[in-house]
């Protein structure tokens, strides 16, 4: 083999290695296009090697020609394979733009009833009330018996109850938490107990089988009905941020309060003229209330000669209806995202 042929074969091997190492490090199609033209183009490195055919004798030309053709085919195949791999990955590193804003996950928010509940808690805790909790599956004793509603008492008919097996019910109001609190705490007691309640009520614009109440209880020496009226009036003005909000008390009956009352807030929709939401009365019933009946103190060992107290149980949906000007309670429970995302 002539010295020229040896040199040219060595150059062929070097060009092949150089091209292959460039292919390995190439990161995009533009770089590959450049490698292709640098090595296989008309003025590329492989073409330049073909020009060296003249350096070798006629007997060595077929050998060199075969080596050059093999180099050309090898590089062509390797460049094409590498190009195809980039075409299969349109999201190659160079097309990833880290400066683009991220796709945000869908964010939830607090349900409007929970927002009202939080606000109610905040207002009452600022007035010195503690927040208490009780179970939604309640015993007959706490839901009725200890609230002075014995089994034979006709007032049990006032609440359409979901009875569970045994002596349990889905609590029909938050008043059982009064008993649970007084059982474990001595006066003075100032507490609220917001939570879910259940009744077999037929749904309409202001009634839902699942709804929320916030119980309130204040027991101390010398607590009077005037204290109840003052606290409720202050609450109404704070929750609606409106000093003109009116509250009215009507006589009523609850076995666990004496005297008993219901209080209403003035209807925000019709300004008292009467509409579908307030059933043409100009008022929306918000809560039952009254002075704690001495018989209830008997169940928790409080001395009614020393202590007196008031209690109330407000419907939170009724407050949300007024606050957010929603004219039907049922929409709070439909979980329509178009409604919920407005809060
Ligand atoms: C009671 O539940 C008494 N436990 C309230 C009470 C507490 C009285 C402490 C005295 C002392 P009543 O059944 O009226 O009372 O319900 C109270 C409030 O809950 C109502 O004024 C109303 O705002 C709300 N409410 C009652 N039933 C429903 C319902 N089905 N859907 C929505 N809100 C309701």
């Amino acid at each position: 083999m002539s010295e020229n042929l040896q040199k040219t074969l060595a150059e062929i091997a070097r060009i092949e290695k150089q091209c292959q190492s460039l292919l390995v490090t190439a990161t995009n199609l533009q770089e590959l296009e450049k490698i292709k033209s640098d090595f296989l183009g008309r003025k590329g490195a492989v073409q330049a090697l073909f020009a060296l055919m003249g350096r070798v004798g006629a007997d060595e030309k077929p050998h060199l020609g075969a080596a050059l053709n093999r180099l050309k085919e090898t590089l062509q195949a390797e460049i094409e394979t590498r190009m195809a791999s980039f075409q299969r990955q349109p999201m190659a590193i160079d097309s990833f733009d880290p400066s683009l804003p991220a796709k945000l996950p869908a964010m939830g928010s607090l349900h409007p009833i929970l927002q009202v509940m939080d606000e109610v808690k905040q207002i009452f805790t600022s007035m010195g009330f503690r927040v208490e909790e009780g179970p939604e599956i309640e015993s007959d004793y706490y839901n009725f018996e200890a609230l002075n509603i014995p089994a034979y008492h006709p007032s049990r008919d006032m609440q359409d109850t979901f009875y569970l097996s045994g002596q349990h019910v889905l609590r029909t109001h938050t008043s059982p938490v009064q008993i649970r609190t007084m059982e474990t705490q001595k006066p003075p007691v100032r507490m609220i107990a917001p939570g879910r309640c259940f009744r077999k009520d037929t749904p309409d614009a202001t009634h839902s089988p699942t709804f929320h109440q916030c119980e309130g209880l204040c027991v101390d020496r010398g607590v009077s009905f005037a204290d109840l009226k003052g606290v409720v009036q202050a609450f109404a003005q704070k929750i609606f941020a409106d000093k003109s909000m009116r509250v009215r008390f009507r006589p009523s009956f609850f076995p666990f309060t004496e005297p008993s009352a219901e209080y209403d807030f003035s209807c925000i929709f019709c300004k008292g003229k009467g509409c579908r939401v307030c059933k043409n009365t100009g008022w929306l019933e918000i809560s039952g209330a009254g002075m704690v009946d001495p018989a209830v103190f008997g169940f928790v060992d409080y001395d009614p000669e020393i202590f007196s107290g008031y209690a109330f149980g407000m419907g939170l949906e009724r407050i949300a209806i007024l606050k957010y000007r929603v004219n039907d309670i049922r929409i709070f429970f439909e979980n329509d995202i178009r409604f919920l995302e407005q809060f």
Side-chain angles (χ1 to χ4, degrees):
M1 187 188 294
S2 70
E3 196 183 332
N4 273 349
L5 180 58
Q6 275 181 20
K7 274 189 189 163
T8 313
L9 289 177
E11 186 62 4
I12 287 172
R14 192 188 65 77
I15 294 289
E16 185 175 355
K17 271 205 177 129
Q18 186 189 10
C19 183
Q20 283 167 340
S21 68
L22 286 172
L23 285 179
V24 170
T25 53
T27 54
N28 57 51
L29 271 176
Q30 286 99 303
E31 280 180 39
L32 288 176
E33 291 291 359
K34 184 162 186 322
I35 294 170
K36 190 177 177 184
S37 100
D38 285 351
F39 286 84
L40 299 177
R42 270 196 291 128
K43 293 182 183 165
V46 175
Q47 206 51 44
L49 288 176
F50 272 103
L52 300 179
M53 287 280 274
R55 281 191 190 173
V56 296
D59 55 330
E60 288 180 332
K61 277 195 197 325
H63 187 101
L64 181 58
L68 283 169
N69 282 333
R70 190 195 57 77
L71 172 69
K72 194 175 169 187
E73 278 160 23
T74 305
L75 294 187
Q76 229 156 19
E78 288 183 12
I79 290 171
E80 264 156 36
T81 309
R82 195 85 173 97
M83 279 180 159
S85 78
F86 275 105
Q87 275 148 359
R88 274 200 306 275
Q89 300 168 23
M91 288 303 290
I93 291 173
D94 68 317
S95 62
F96 173 69
D97 182 351
S99 66
L100 285 175
K103 212 173 163 192
L104 292 176
M107 294 289 282
S109 61
L110 282 185
H111 191 280
I113 299 299
L114 277 187
Q115 292 185 32
V116 166
M117 200 186 269
D118 281 352
E119 214 171 315
V120 169
K121 282 187 201 166
Q122 194 264 321
I123 292 170
F124 278 105
T125 50
S126 77
M127 293 197 274
F129 287 73
R130 278 173 56 154
V131 180
E132 300 288 347
E133 280 183 356
E136 290 173 1
I137 293 177
E138 191 50 282
S139 70
D140 183 273
Y141 176 79
Y142 286 109
N143 199 77
F144 295 122
E145 200 80 23
L147 286 163
N148 202 28
I149 317 175
Y152 59 81
H153 200 288
S155 73
R156 287 207 184 188
D157 295 342
M158 282 163 56
Q159 297 179 349
D160 283 327
T161 307
F162 289 109
Y163 285 92
L164 304 174
S165 57
Q167 290 291 299
H168 286 87
V169 299
L170 290 182
R171 69 175 175 191
T172 55
H173 51 175
T174 44
S175 297
V177 190
Q178 285 187 37
I179 306 298
R180 290 180 175 277
T181 305
M182 289 190 282
E183 271 181 350
T184 54
Q185 293 174 32
K186 291 286 156 215
V189 167
R190 268 178 200 77
M191 72 81 168
I192 57 160
R196 200 174 286 138
C197 307
F198 312 85
R199 287 185 199 176
K200 277 202 294 187
D201 282 346
T202 306
D204 63 19
T206 54
H207 290 84
S208 162
T210 298
F211 60 101
H212 296 75
Q213 283 188 346
C214 180
E215 197 73 11
L217 173 72
C218 169
V219 183
D220 203 346
R221 288 178 161 85
V223 173
S224 74
F225 206 99
D227 296 316
L228 168 65
K229 289 185 92 170
V231 162
V232 169
Q233 182 69 51
F235 168 76
Q237 293 178 353
K238 276 204 176 165
I239 190 98
F240 295 107
D242 181 355
K243 288 247 180 273
S244 69
M245 195 74 199
R246 288 176 297 146
V247 179
R248 77 168 183 188
F249 280 76
R250 292 176 285 110
S252 186
F253 170 76
F254 296 100
F256 38 96
T257 45
E258 182 59 36
S260 299
E262 274 171 302
Y263 60 82
D264 309 327
F265 290 171
S266 46
C267 180
I268 252 168
F269 294 96
C270 60
K271 298 282 173 215
K273 288 198 200 89
C275 66
R276 186 174 78 101
V277 180
C278 63
K279 297 199 179 102
N280 289 316
T281 62
W283 298 90
L284 205 67
E285 181 193 317
I286 298 291
S287 182
M291 299 305 291
V292 180
D293 194 304
V296 173
F297 283 154
F299 282 93
V300 295
D301 242 1
Y302 280 13
D303 186 345
E305 297 298 325
I306 303 174
F307 298 108
S308 59
Y310 63 76
F312 56 81
M314 293 191 277
L316 293 180
E317 282 78 9
R318 305 282 174 89
I319 293 172
I321 282 175
L322 294 178
K323 201 170 162 56
Y324 299 127
R325 294 167 190 263
V326 171
N327 64 5
D328 197 312
I329 196 173
R330 287 165 287 198
I331 200 165
F332 287 119
F333 300 100
E334 281 168 4
N335 282 334
D336 186 330
I337 241 52
R338 289 165 302 176
F339 169 71
L340 294 177
E341 66 190 2
Q342 294 174 43
F343 298 91

